[in-house]
Amino acid sequence: MSKPTLAKGYEPWDVEDKWETHWEKEKTFTPDADADGDPYSIVIPPPNVTGVLHMGHALNLTLQDILCRFHRQQGRNVLWVPGTDHAGIATQNVVERQLKEEGKTRDDLGREAFVERVWQWKQEKGDHILNQIRRMGASVDWTREAFTFDDQRAKAVREVFVKLFEDGLIYKGDYIINWCNRCHTALADDEVEHENKPGNLWHIKYPLADGSGELIVATTRPETMLGDTAIAVNPEDDRFSHLIGKKAILPLVGRELTIIGDTYVDVEFGTGCLKVTPAHDMNDWELGRKHDLEVLAVFDDAGYVNENAPEKYQGVYKDDARGVIVKDLEAEGFLVEVADHEHSVGVCYRCKSVIEPHVSTQWFVSMKPLAEKARAAVPDKTQIHPEHWTKTYYNWLDEIRDWCISRQIWWGHRIPAWTCEDCGELIVSIDDPTKCTCGSANLVQDEDVLDTWFSSALWPFSTLGWPDDTKELAKYYPTSCLVTGFDILFFWVARMMMMGLQFMDEVPFHDVYIHALVRDEKGKKMSKSTGNVIDPLDMIEKYGADALRFTLTSFAAMGRDIKLSEQRIEGYKHFMNKIWNAARFSLMNLPETIPAVDLNDCEGLANKWILSRLEEVKQTAKEATEAYRFNEIAQSLYKFVWSEFCDWYLEMVKPALYGEDEAAKAQTQKVLWTVLSEVLVLLHPVTPFITQEIWSVLPRPEGDDRSEDIATLPFPDMRPGLCDKEAEARMELFMGVVSGVRNIRTELVIEPAKKLDLLVKTASETDRELLEGNLNLIQSLARLENVTLGPDVEGPKASGSTVVQGNEIYVPLEGVVDFESELARLDKNIAKIEKTKGGVAKKLSNPGFLNNAPAEVVEKEKEKLAEMDEDLAKLNELKERLSSIMG
RNA sequence: GGGCGGUUAGCUCAGUUGGGAGAGCAUCGGCCUUACAAGCCGAGGGUCGCAGGUUCGAGCCCUGCACCGCCCA
């Protein structure tokens, strides 16, 4: 039989596929809701079924997975619920585009057939994104997968709708809403994006009805004048206040408009006169309500001028109407001026076409009462991290307006409301009604469907089986943490808070972690049209999921943007390879059964040092994860593995591993195995695949019957007894001496292979003992022949030299050394210390510092100064010795 | 107009109670030293955006300003 070995380089491809399949098949991440263990639960932000995995998802999934895997290690009963979102408008658009290619429209199919067609599409393409989640290594419970539009979620939606209606929190009515002509539906306020676009400000003359003069109004949308029902001026504006109550004539139409006074009018803007079109402008709508103005819609659902306008303009599309009207105004002498003006235009967040404010019958949720509770729950019951997002959350809730939840599309939860054709009664019911109270069976269901976010708002409890009384709900609600990007703080997070509080009487999650958005290396939003998308799946193909995950984790601390470039991922792929090779080396040097040695009895500087550092890195990783400092997890592990474990420890233990001293060998094998196996567990939440693969081939001590599945292992126990500050301090000296020699070698351009001698005039007996005890290591790491140590050692004048913590280092270089270079080198070191010393000396000469600073700080500064003085004196001495032989 | 965030090495960014400015990448020089050239060893590089203030002491706290970005109106 042969010991397991690893390939020379890490090849993620087969490894990832293998473990992904294993985990899902073995239901490794399916928790038992009846089992003990404090629950830890997360619901996934459900990606759109239309979507493909992008970097934002990749980051989002990575962070959640770190939390879930970490808390499993902590012994929690962890549930991570996966699922997708039916994305009403987006999905309907996709299928409509498909139909268009076949030369058909949704109306050709009819509602039922169309919805059937969308389901079919979802079946074929919609699960694509779920497979991409698998590729990321997300430790979700696939047995509890949910969809915002499946039967269980539909049940929840109906229940909520009916209850809110019965409580008077849902109402139906005619209001102005954001209308997308292209998607042919209403949108909620926050589904409208605002873009600044260059445009014009048209100044138009409105004659006064009594012929006494005229008013000039300024507008960015002259075509809406057809629907004007008033003119507004500021009552504090001396130019116009006397006109309030008088009438003006609407050009081209001839209608009389009342001139109203309202302080809303900005005296500075335009001409100070505002035309009021309540049917086609949000602000005008508000003015209209306040002043009881007529609401006259002049555009229909599709954006064409309707019968409320003069016949001449009827049937003209709104964009074309502008040109026609401006031309007529000009011809009739009403157009005074056309100025350039940049203004904010609302566009549909789904299709980017311009939004038309539009009056129509819609369903609304009354937000104020819900928002109050949601606001009060933060930060007492739910904490938002980073904390500064709390204010944004408050601002939004404070300015909240009622939520338009009806959509004029077909793909979505149909509103459970019926109208009796005979008596006009409105019936809202969980079960489809068959009869009206009047006895009529002539019931017609509302045509509209609900905003997708309505069902998303229920996600934290609907996914756990609500409204049924499930054990999942009892065990896992409220969830522990919600991880999401700030772009849906309003759309989603705030609404979940409202619904959770309303229906569960408890917040949906204890913590909200808001992460950055991923952008390209220039800070631009990744988009297909710009062509700057870095596809996570491409990156996984090229570098492996672990490298991608580690990259995203190490960047997770950044503010609002993560600027990602492929180069970075490649860099962390190198780290994966480093881990792999460290494991490969270990496997080559570990026996089939790890020796039973007590770690407390392990001797040797390297062993004591690395065990001490291991304790620290365990502590750091734990604290960083608990505090959501993801970058710190990555950074501390990176540094430990690469700069300490690989660069120093593995090099230092080679002699022991190769040597004849069986006791030292066994101890070292035990320590090597301990550090490697524990660091694998620490890395596992971030890089699950590579750690799993290595763990599965790593030998064990006798009696270690832990699972081969690293995902199920507990977080390593702390061993406070192994913290050894003394070993760390001694290691610092050791590394200083080795680095000092290496530095001399390189800077004096001595060939690396040449064996040199070393003499050290030691500063103390403990330092001498340390160096003496590790002579062979110093020799091998610094490539030395003879080493002489002692308090009275004197090196030859023709040496490369330096001082390390008071120890004078001499590398004799008779015939080799270039004195000029060595002199320059010494000068450089002296200058460096002088510079630092300057700052410290200045501090210590300041009476204010001596009097006010804590005694320990003063003491520390004094020690520093003394050390630097000592080193400087020695360096200057070395310099003089050298100068003396240079003549 | 209101709010939020950013400004630290050539690039991307860390820097958690204020106490000797860091990392990765890039650059330069030298190495195939039997885990790893996806690597090893070494080096250079910063008046921490500007101006004030608090303090014995400020990258960090306060005020103002500039520029960049995002959100809301």
Side-chain angles (χ1 to χ4, degrees), chain A residues 85-134:
Chain A
D85 184 314
H86 68 283
I89 298 171
T91 312
Q92 173 147 339
N93 283 351
V94 168
V95 176
E96 279 190 292
R97 269 202 299 276
Q98 267 188 358
L99 286 175
K100 200 176 170 189
E101 279 168 24
E102 299 165 20
K104 287 187 256 180
T105 68
R106 62 164 157 154
D107 290 305
D108 294 338
L109 267 70
R111 184 164 192 150
E112 208 171 310
F114 178 79
V115 170
E116 187 48 47
R117 172 88 186 234
V118 184
W119 272 112
Q120 194 190 325
W121 177 90
K122 192 258 176 191
Q123 237 58 50
E124 287 164 12
K125 296 280 173 61
D127 290 344
H128 192 52
I129 187 111
L130 294 171
N131 293 325
Q132 300 183 319
I133 292 174
R134 287 179 169 88

Side-chain angles (χ1 to χ4, degrees), chain A residues 812-829:
Chain A
L813 293 169
E814 193 75 57
V816 184
V817 71
D818 169 355
F819 294 141
E820 294 293 344
S821 318
E822 172 61 6
L823 212 54
R825 220 180 56 82
L826 287 170
D827 275 333
K828 193 180 76 184
N829 285 345

